[in-house]
Each structure stands twice: as structure tokens, then as C-alpha cells.
Amino acid sequence: MIEFILNGKVVQTDDEPDTPLLWVVRDTFKLTGSKFGCGIAKCGACTMHIDGSAQQTCVLPITAVAGKTVTTIEGLGTPDNLHPLQQAWVEQGVPQCGYCQSGQIMSAASLLTDNPNPNEAQLEAAMERNICRCGCYPRIKQAILSVAEQGQSGAVQLATPVAAKAPEGIQS
Amino acid sequence: MSAIKLSRRGFLKATGLIGGGLLIGYVATPDGNSPAVIPGDGAMAPNAFIQLTQDNQIIFYSPRDEMGQGISMGLATLVAEELDVPVDKIQVEFASVHDDYRHPEYWVQGTGGSSSMRVHYLPLRQVAADTRALLLTAAAMDLGVAAESLSTEDGYILSNGTGHRYSDFIATAQTLELPSETPLKAKADFKYIGKDMTRIDALAKSTGTAIFGMDIAVPDMYYAMVSRSPVAGGTVNNLDDSAARAMSGVTDIVRIDSGVAVVATSFWKAKKAVAALNIIWDQPDLANFSNGDIRADYQSALESDRGTTETEGSITEGLSKASMQVRRDYWTPYLAHTPMEPVNAVVKISDGKAELWAGTQSPGVARGLVARHSGLSVDNITVNSLFSGGGFGRRAQLSHIAEATQVAVATNKTIKLVWTRENDLQNGWFRQASIMQLHAGIDAEGKVTAWDATRVGGDLAPDTLAGVLPGELPRTPKLLNDLMLSATENLYDGWLIDSGGVEGLVSDYDFPNKQLRHISVNHGLPLAAWRSVGHSFTAFAKETLMDELAEMAGLNSFEFRRRNLQNNPRLLGVLEAVEQGLKQWDIPAGHHIGISTHGSFQSFVAQAAEVSIQGSKIRVHRVLCAIDCGAVINPDIVRAQIEGGIMYGLTAALYGDIEIENGAVKQSNFHDYKILRINEAPAVDVLIVETEQAPSGVGEPGLPPIAPAVANAVYQATGQRLYSMPLTLA
Ligand code: FES
Ligand code: FES
């Protein structure tokens, strides 16, 4: 039995220990916003936040997140309560097929938490782990930079809304 | 760019775009004899595309599939315009399968060829305009006023200053006949067409709430994965599944047409077990070929006198008028589509009925495949179309739906069948490889006097037909299908030229004397239309040669093209738009510009690429693209499709190479099949040259010009002419 925090809730699973987090989240916990694109940590479609930082979860065995906090796109913001990046994504018409976008947004959110005012090179370095086969890159860039700008002006809060620390007593 | 802000209510509605009638109680019957949409209580569905519910909700059934190209938004905009309802108040559903949703020009209910807006622009506006006229007539009767005294606004009928909901008049409207040929709005009256508007699917796709085939889970569902022959067309000689059978969660292992399927209680368990299968394959002829052999076969075919030839004018005469001539050979490799979402399907069969969940470019064929492999009639099959995580031509090939159905039948279970990325790259369909030879002559004025083109490679049409026939004619025995297919193959070998292999190679320019020779050489690797199809490689040959000829003629690239575009004003228009646009650019030292221009899918495109060379690496910094795609429905979606087409084309220009080794594909995932990433992505400026013509293609035409534009810039930077893709510096 492995226990971790998923979008703020303590959850437990008896999935086999080598099962990648991606499949536990998608199939066991039925949160399908995080996607399967390659299965070898080369496309970023499966990106989630583990203790606040972006990681590709298709190769991350569930044992690696025991006692940790996991945030998925569903925990970042909802249609009624959008994260500033999601708002920018919608307003700037970023998604095409949309399949990569959860991963893109999770990588971008982690970037802005670590570095609220990235320059273009820093942005590219953080985002190059995410493939977009539809080629939305110019808009992804634009959307992140616009949110960073709003963050600088205090118009939006950039700190990722996570999911508190592990409650007392949870096993690491 | 500008974008309207959706109201919160609009947001919530927009998330409803999930397809398959999951939200609203309607039944889309699969039988061509019954209506496509059976309206809910108190609702009306005057045609296959529009339902107006009792509470004034308008539902639009999109006949074309959404793969990211924005067509559900585009078509909804047409309906919104003529119904006079804001787009974000329309609930868009993906249509089920019905004759009414067949593509007006293709035989099937499918999406492709950058054709959707072109073929639906007037017909969909017409049904919406007729529906609005019907409601106005009903309102006039109910309110006892003259129809001319009524007007509409945002989904309401206005009479003497009072607004009435459209739905208030359903009962009377139901008693009237739907008018036809209602006059359409004039362009000057457009409220939505031609405006930038936020895509209706943007919210769902930014919050992880859009539902793709990969996300479907139904009760009692099992996961299937298939081990297929590494060489396409191979069959199982010997199977040892003892290790796999013993693995946790594995419930069934069954043989199907394409190989051996493992069924398990989770994706992960199925994936591990499929790797534990031990299979010896009987290999087809393709196993005797590697990349070098294929290229050598093309080369010797090129040097032979084989082929089918079409001529206009006379090459001999054209060459006799030439003051200079040049002959070049070009190589373009096989490519994979790699849509971000690998193909997948959920099939449920129970009580003599079947249900399919999948995002495809061809739901009609999908339904037929379920019928063929389940033995059920199409009337008993429901297709739930979903968002596709990219199509690019790959989702017109639906073997995974046949596989899922076969596994469901063999195991008597509800099956979710998923392809891995490795399956996608190694067991799928590919863009044709080609050798092209161009021989051209120019005169002292810089006019092309002769253009002699040859293309050698595989034929696409027979494989396309092979994908369509079994699903479109589910009752025809396999033997008969196979006969039709081999007849088609023969047709293309020596009689007909497969347009998907040559389109664009002798087009666009004035070319008074031109010749096209095609030589079919097929090795058996399955081929599928790949974004922009033949144009994806013919533009490379044509436009790099035009650049070379310009230099020979001592003219700049714009001027030389202009002299040869006297009969193609729309292509000349975009070329000159790029020429003007470039004047605003500051080109940093060490950066070089290459241009190209190419028409495809009835649209006209010119591009300039700004390139620098860093070591042996080609870096593309900026692209300027002008497009004339006729009337524009949503400029922002046009820009997005051009940006995306350029990125897709750049992946092919810089990296794309599927290599065959003893018949098997060498590449297996994104580590060795490189895709352009954000740090390599150029900035893109799109100039829309709007004309009064009907709308034409947008999803594909942005792609073909990018590889030659980059190659031409590389020449400016290095003096090297590149004749092969991917572009590699010596
Ligand atoms: S699915 Fe995890 S990185 Fe591609
Ligand atoms: S939007 Fe389609 S892969 Fe990124």
C-alpha cells in the first residue's frame, strides 16, 4: 500500500510498486488530464508536480512518490477557477489538439514558481522537455511571458496553489 | 492577437464540447433511412446539423472531426452567423455516423484534405439560415404579426421591442416545412465570420477536461495491447506465451489478424506482459529491403524507361529555346505522423449491439470496421467520436479499431486497445519516400521554357483504399476487397498517376512546356497521407530548383519567380506580400533569408525563413508567411494552423527520417525520431491576404514551403545546395 497526496487529498493505492505514477493517476484515480505520449520521459505529456516541481511521471514508479505531494493539471486550476497560465492559454488560443497542453501548463507553472521572470533562454530551457506536435510553441512562449509580466506587475499570483505539506503521520 | 473574453457562463458551456451526445439527451441513429438527430422532448431538429431544445439551447452537430485544426469552432461560427446566435452559446457535439454527415466530395464520412471549410461554407450557412427563417415564420404566426416586422438578436426574436426565445416557437415551427434557399447574410453584416474569437475548445484543453479516446473508461473495461510483426505484413509462425500468461493481471492472450493481443486489468500490466511474449514471425518480402536497397531500386527505376507520362507542350521544343539548363535529383525519406496521442479505441459489444469510442478522421469507416469484425449490422453500432490528439493523416488509418473489435469478440470483454509510441513508429503507416528528378531550361529573359519532372516511389492510393474499403463495405468478403485492391495497384502501375505522389511537382508556374513522369516502385511499407501529402516533398524539389534557376538567370529569388507567375495572380499576390513584409525586417549579421512559394489545397502560400548556421546545425529564427485562403472565418485559427504547419514541416526539414532495416523501422520513440522543440521553434509572422474567393485549405498549405525556404536560406549562408531531406550540411 502506497500513500501520497494527490491534489490535496491523501490517497492510497495497492497498484504494483513498479507502476508509473502516470498510470496510477489516470487509471486508478481517474484523473485523465495528464497524458501518455511516449512512456520514456521524452515528451512531457505526463508532467505533474511532485512536491511542487515538474516531473515526467510515465517512468516514475509509484514508490518514488510515497509520502509526497502530487499535483496534476486538475489540481492546478479548474474551469471555474483558472490558474493565470490557464487563463492566458485560453485567451491567447494556445491549444490546437490540446493533448500536450496539460503537460505544457504544468511545466510552465513550475518554471514560474521557480523563476517568476524568466528570459527567453530560461523559458526555453524549462520548456524544451515538452513536445507539442501541433506546433503551438510560439503561443506557449507568448502566453508564459505574458503571465510572467502580469506577475511582475502584481496582477496575478504565481505561486502554484499546492496542496499543503504532508499531514502528520504519513509515511515517507 | 486579440481574443474575446468568454463569460463564465460561456466557459462552462464550452467545456461541454465532449462529443458523443454525452450531455444532451438525443439519439443519433446510425440508419441512413432515419433522421440523423432525433430531438429530445419539446425540441426540434429541422436538419441533421441543428437541434433547438425546449430551453433555447442550440446544439450543432459537427460533421467533421476535431483534431486540433479548429474545425468545430469554424463550422459552429458559420451556424452561429446565420442563426444569429453568439458562437459561445452554441453547444457543439461531434456528429455520430449518418449519411447526412458524409463528406460532400469524398465517398466517406471523413475529415482531411484541408477541405472542411471549403465544402461546408455555403451548405452549413444555408441550413442555419433556413432554420432561422423557419423560426421567424413560426414567430410571425404565433405573435400575429408580419414576418417582416421581426428581427433576431443573439438567439432572440424581437417583436415590437420584446425579445422572445427561439424555442418559444418550436411547436408552430414543427408544423411548417423547412424553407430552402433563404438568402444568406452579406459579408458586411457578418458578426462572427472573419473575427478573431477564442476557440470553444480552448478552456477544456487548458484544464485537462477535454476528453480524448485515451481518456475513456467504461465499466468492466480491460486493456489490450498487441505485439505486431516488426516487418509490416508478417504473420505469426510460432508463439510462446507461457511467461506472459503467468503475469499478474493478464486475463487473455488471443491471436488476431495483426498479431497477438494481450488483455489485462490495467494498461501497465498489459504493457509488461506484451513484452514477455515470445513470437517467431514469418516475414514478407519487405524483410529483404533496407533503406539503401529501396533508394537503389528507385534510382534504377529512374534510369529505366518505365513510367506513366503526361505532357503539355513539348520538352524538346522547350529545351531548344533554353539558354541554360539544369538537371537535379532529390531524395525525401519515409516519415511518421506521430500524433501526440497514440491511436486507441474502446469497443463494447453486448446484447447484439456494439459501441465504439475513438477520435478518428473517418468515423464512418470506423463503424464499418466494428461491423465487419463483430458480424453486427451497422444499424446496431454506435460511434462516439471524441477529440483527437492530432491527426495529420494518421487517424484516417483505423486498423486499431479492427484490432479492438477482434479482441472484444475473441475475449467477450469490453476492450480498450492502446498503441504505444513504439507501436506508432514501428507498426504504423508512413509518408512515402521519393526520388524526384527535375530537368529545367530557362531563356535569356529568365522564363522557364521546359520543366521535366519524374517522381519514383510508392503509391498512396491503393493503401488509402485498403484502409477505407473494409469499413465502407463491411459486408463485402475479404477476397473481393483484395481483388479490388490489387486491381487498383495495377492501375497505378503503368496506367494512372497517383496524385498523392506528384501533386505540386509541375504546378504553380507558367511552364509552357512541361512533362510529368511517374514510376511506381512499391516495397510493401504501408503508406498513408501525411499532412500536405505529395506537396510535403514536391515543394522541396520545385522550390529549391527555382532558387537555383534564379541564380543561373542572375535574378533575385522574387524577381525570377515573378517572371514565371504571370498566370497565377494569387500566388504572385502572396509572394509580393512576403517581399514587402521582408522590408520591415532587420536581418542580423550572420542571418540569411530564403524564400519559397507553393500552392496547395486551393490556397496560395509564400514564405521567407531567416536562418543562421551554428556549427553544423541549421537554426531557423523567424518565418514570414503570407497566405491567401480566400474568405477567412477565424483569422486567429488561420494563424494557428500556419504556425503549426510550419513547425510540423520544420520537424521534417531538420530531422524527419524513418529508416528501414531488413524491412523493419529502425526508429522507435522520440529519442531517435526527433521532433522540433520550443528552443528550436522560430517566431512566425502570418500575413493573411484576404480575397473575395471562397474559403480554401488552411491546415496543410502552410507546411510545404518551409523546407525549401530553409534550404534556400542555407544556400545563402553556406553556398551549399541541399538535395535531400532532412537538410544536412556537408
Ligand atoms: S509520456 Fe511521459 S514524457 Fe512522454
Ligand atoms: S496541441 Fe496538439 S500536441 Fe500540443
Side-chain angles (χ1 to χ4, degrees):
Chain A
M1 184 71 68
I2 290 160
E3 197 167 83
F4 60 100
I5 300 173
L6 179 59
N7 297 335
K9 281 202 206 95
V10 179
V11 294
Q12 293 164 341
T13 174
D14 51 14
D15 282 324
E16 287 179 6
D18 67 342
T19 313
L21 176 61
L22 173 67
W23 296 107
V24 174
V25 167
R26 285 179 54 88
D27 292 345
T28 308
F29 296 112
K30 310 280 183 233
L31 295 176
T32 55
S34 312
K35 304 300 187 199
F36 164 64
C38 70
I40 61 162
K42 285 286 172 203
C43 78
C46 61
T47 305
M48 301 177 198
H49 295 175
I50 314 294
D51 285 345
S53 70
Q55 272 193 51
Q56 300 180 332
T57 60
C58 59
V59 291
L60 190 71
I62 184 73
T63 46
V65 298
K68 302 202 168 164
T69 63
V70 174
T71 307
T72 69
I73 185 77
E74 292 91 345
L76 188 76
T78 61
D80 282 330
N81 184 19
L82 296 174
H83 183 278
L85 281 164
Q86 293 172 312
Q87 182 84 39
W89 246 242
V90 173
E91 282 169 8
Q92 299 183 31
V94 176
Q96 291 187 27
C97 85
Y99 195 78
C100 72
Q101 300 297 350
S102 299
Q104 304 280 3
I105 292 170
M106 293 311 281
S107 290
S110 172
L111 162 68
L112 292 187
T113 304
D114 296 347
N115 177 2
N117 195 19
N119 61 29
E120 209 169 316
Q122 292 164 332
L123 183 155
E124 288 177 356
M127 297 302 296
E128 71 172 284
R129 283 152 52 88
N130 291 74
I131 289 176
C132 175
R133 189 62 168 129
C134 297
C136 305
Y137 299 129
R139 290 174 188 233
I140 290 171
K141 238 187 227 180
Q142 186 64 38
I144 297 172
L145 292 174
S146 73
V147 173
E149 218 165 89
Q150 291 169 44
Q152 291 309 295
S153 70
V156 296
Q157 267 302 328
L158 287 184
T160 306
V162 191
K165 296 251 142 31
E168 298 289 297
I170 198 170
Q171 310 268 319
S172 267
Chain B
M1 55 157 278
S2 64
I4 57 157
K5 267 204 173 177
L6 293 175
S7 67
R8 193 59 76 189
R9 197 165 144 253
F11 270 163
L12 292 176
K13 275 223 163 63
T15 59
L17 202 156
I18 55 176
L22 296 174
L23 282 195
I24 308 281
Y26 84 99
V27 188
T29 69
D31 186 339
N33 295 321
S34 21
V37 177
I38 295 176
D41 276 350
M44 67 181 238
N47 50 60
F49 304 99
I50 296 165
Q51 178 176 185
L52 172 62
T53 69
Q54 209 171 15
D55 54 0
N56 211 33
Q57 174 66 59
I58 286 159
I59 308 166
F60 164 58
Y61 300 95
S62 174
R64 303 278 71 86
D65 308 296
E66 182 58 64
M67 309 171 254
Q69 81 279 38
I71 198 62
S72 46
M73 173 72 182
L75 298 182
T77 304
L78 304 180
V79 170
E81 187 67 68
E82 297 291 346
L83 268 182
D84 210 6
V85 174
V87 187
D88 64 14
K89 287 203 180 141
I90 291 185
Q91 169 90 39
V92 181
E93 300 267 349
F94 300 136
S96 183
V97 180
H98 190 281
D99 280 346
D100 289 355
Y101 302 125
R102 281 181 188 266
H103 188 289
E105 286 178 5
Y106 306 160
W107 181 33
V108 298
Q109 181 175 333
T111 302
S114 294
S115 61
S116 303
M117 191 48 81
R118 179 171 58 77
V119 299
H120 288 295
Y121 184 62
L122 293 177
L124 263 184
R125 285 174 59 199
Q126 192 65 56
V127 295
D130 292 342
T131 303
R132 176 175 167 277
L134 174 74
L135 290 164
L136 282 173
T137 308
M141 290 169 68
D142 285 358
L143 300 170
V145 297
E148 299 73 50
S149 72
L150 300 173
S151 60
T152 54
E153 201 177 303
D154 293 354
Y156 289 84
I157 292 177
L158 304 183
S159 170
N160 292 322
T162 312
H164 303 268
R165 302 187 314 168
Y166 281 3
S167 57
D168 293 348
F169 309 106
I170 289 176
T172 302
Q174 302 268 41
T175 67
L176 304 173
E177 208 164 304
L178 185 66
S180 60
E181 293 173 32
T182 309
L184 302 181
K185 274 194 190 173
K187 188 177 173 190
D189 299 329
F190 286 165
K191 282 191 194 163
Y192 310 112
I193 292 178
K195 311 281 187 299
D196 280 339
M197 282 183 293
T198 306
R199 285 172 64 137
I200 45 174
D201 54 359
L203 181 73
K205 288 175 173 179
S206 303
T207 50
T209 53
I211 305 294
F212 297 83
M214 193 67 91
D215 303 329
I216 292 294
V218 300
D220 303 318
M221 185 180 84
Y222 290 79
Y223 295 79
M225 297 228 312
V226 178
S227 178
R228 302 171 191 83
S229 168
V231 180
T235 49
V236 178
N237 171 301
N238 187 58
L239 164 68
D240 171 8
D241 61 8
S242 47
R245 272 189 195 281
M247 291 173 75
S248 137
V250 174
T251 61
D252 305 83
I253 295 179
V254 294
R255 290 204 194 189
I256 58 173
D257 289 350
S258 65
V260 180
V262 172
V263 179
T265 52
S266 77
F267 171 89
W268 185 245
K269 286 174 177 167
K271 186 168 192 278
K272 284 199 291 184
V274 91
L277 292 173
N278 225 319
I279 304 175
I280 296 169
W281 300 94
D282 278 333
Q283 303 291 23
D285 283 352
L286 175 60
N288 302 321
F289 299 103
S290 297
N291 248 42
D293 308 312
I294 292 170
R295 206 163 158 170
D297 286 351
Y298 288 3
Q299 195 63 45
S300 65
L302 179 69
E303 284 151 21
S304 76
D305 55 6
R306 287 182 51 205
T308 313
T309 304
E310 290 169 359
T311 314
E312 267 180 63
S314 155
I315 292 296
T316 327
E317 211 181 296
L319 286 176
S320 73
K321 291 186 187 142
S323 54
M324 284 177 275
Q325 45 179 289
V326 63
R327 185 199 307 263
R328 298 291 183 211
D329 291 357
Y330 302 85
W331 162 258
T332 51
Y334 291 114
L335 293 176
H337 307 73
T338 57
M340 208 67 221
E341 176 195 17
V343 294
N344 57 79
V346 175
V347 173
K348 177 185 171 172
I349 304 173
S350 66
D351 304 328
K353 291 195 182 299
E355 199 163 354
L356 168 73
W357 290 262
T360 77
Q361 290 178 245
S362 202
V365 171
R367 183 183 65 171
L369 287 173
V370 176
R372 170 175 288 273
H373 296 285
S374 66
L376 296 171
S377 87
V378 291
D379 300 350
N380 288 314
I381 295 162
T382 305
V383 175
N384 303 285
S385 286
L386 300 153
F387 281 125
S388 281
F392 315 123
R394 179 61 186 84
R395 279 186 159 78
Q397 286 292 351
L398 302 175
S399 68
H400 54 288
I401 289 173
E403 290 178 338
T405 311
Q406 289 184 350
V407 178
V409 168
T411 60
N412 208 11
K413 289 184 168 71
T414 297
I415 293 297
K416 177 173 192 170
L417 187 134
V418 175
W419 281 45
T420 59
R421 181 60 61 194
E422 288 79 5
N423 297 155
D424 178 49
L425 275 155
Q426 304 204 302
N427 306 122
W429 275 259
F430 300 89
R431 200 278 306 264
Q432 319 91 299
S434 304
I435 283 184
M436 291 165 284
Q437 183 173 79
L438 296 179
H439 181 187
I442 51 170
D443 65 16
E445 265 76 67
K447 288 247 190 200
V448 176
T449 57
W451 186 269
D452 187 4
T454 304
R455 185 257 173 181
V456 188
D459 293 315
L460 189 58
D463 282 10
T464 305
L465 196 64
V468 167
L469 270 187
E472 205 48 49
L473 303 174
R475 292 265 168 261
T476 315
K478 186 172 180 309
L479 201 70
L480 202 60
N481 274 344
D482 290 349
L483 271 174
M484 285 192 260
L485 288 174
S486 72
T488 323
E489 272 165 39
N490 291 333
L491 266 179
Y492 283 102
D493 196 0
W495 296 95
L496 285 179
I497 295 183
D498 179 23
S499 65
V502 297
E503 54 191 2
L505 196 55
V506 297
S507 315
D508 294 339
Y509 297 100
D510 300 335
F511 297 160
N513 301 292
K514 59 184 173 185
Q515 181 161 290
L516 175 65
R517 177 165 71 124
H518 189 261
I519 309 172
S520 300
V521 180
N522 290 291
H523 289 89
L525 191 73
L527 303 176
W530 185 97
R531 194 173 190 175
S532 81
V533 205
H535 298 284
S536 68
F537 46 90
T538 60
F540 169 63
K542 171 174 88 39
E543 285 301 304
T544 51
L545 188 68
M546 284 302 281
D547 229 59
E548 214 171 330
L549 291 170
E551 191 187 26
M552 287 167 60
L555 294 169
N556 86 30
S557 308
F558 286 106
E559 180 54 28
F560 178 69
R561 284 178 173 80
R562 185 167 20 244
R563 289 191 189 185
N564 289 284
L565 280 175
Q566 293 309 304
N567 298 307
N568 195 344
R570 295 179 72 185
L571 200 56
L572 185 58
V574 290
L575 181 74
E576 293 185 335
V578 165
E579 189 177 24
Q580 289 309 314
L582 266 185
K583 293 188 176 145
Q584 322 297 320
W585 277 22
D586 275 334
I587 321 266
H591 288 204
H592 300 268
I593 300 289
I595 67 155
S596 74
T597 185
H598 192 81
S600 61
F601 305 94
Q602 303 181 35
S603 288
F604 302 82
V605 179
Q607 291 179 0
E610 180 188 318
V611 166
S612 72
I613 305 298
Q614 297 166 1
S616 64
K617 225 177 127 53
I618 299 166
R619 188 70 229 268
V620 185
H621 301 274
R622 249 195 307 182
V623 177
L624 178 61
C625 177
I627 179 168
D628 168 358
C629 55
V632 170
I633 288 68
N634 186 325
D636 196 48
I637 291 183
V638 172
R639 286 191 290 269
Q641 284 305 295
I642 296 301
E643 290 159 11
I646 287 170
M647 303 301 157
Y648 204 86
L650 266 181
T651 287
L654 300 177
Y655 308 122
D657 197 2
I658 286 288
E659 296 169 284
I660 308 300
E661 230 172 46
N662 301 321
V665 173
K666 210 168 121 187
Q667 285 69 27
S668 65
N669 205 321
F670 291 135
H671 65 290
D672 57 5
Y673 192 71
K674 238 186 125 187
I675 307 291
L676 191 86
R677 290 172 187 266
I678 199 168
N679 54 322
E680 303 151 320
V684 177
D685 289 347
V686 180
L687 305 169
I688 299 176
V689 178
E690 201 171 344
T691 46
E692 292 300 318
Q693 315 279 341
S696 49
V698 166
E700 297 169 274
L703 189 153
I706 190 61
V710 172
N712 292 338
V714 168
Y715 176 73
Q716 296 301 324
T718 64
Q720 285 183 45
R721 290 278 178 201
L722 303 178
Y723 299 103
S724 300
M725 284 176 68
L727 305 174
T728 316
L729 289 171

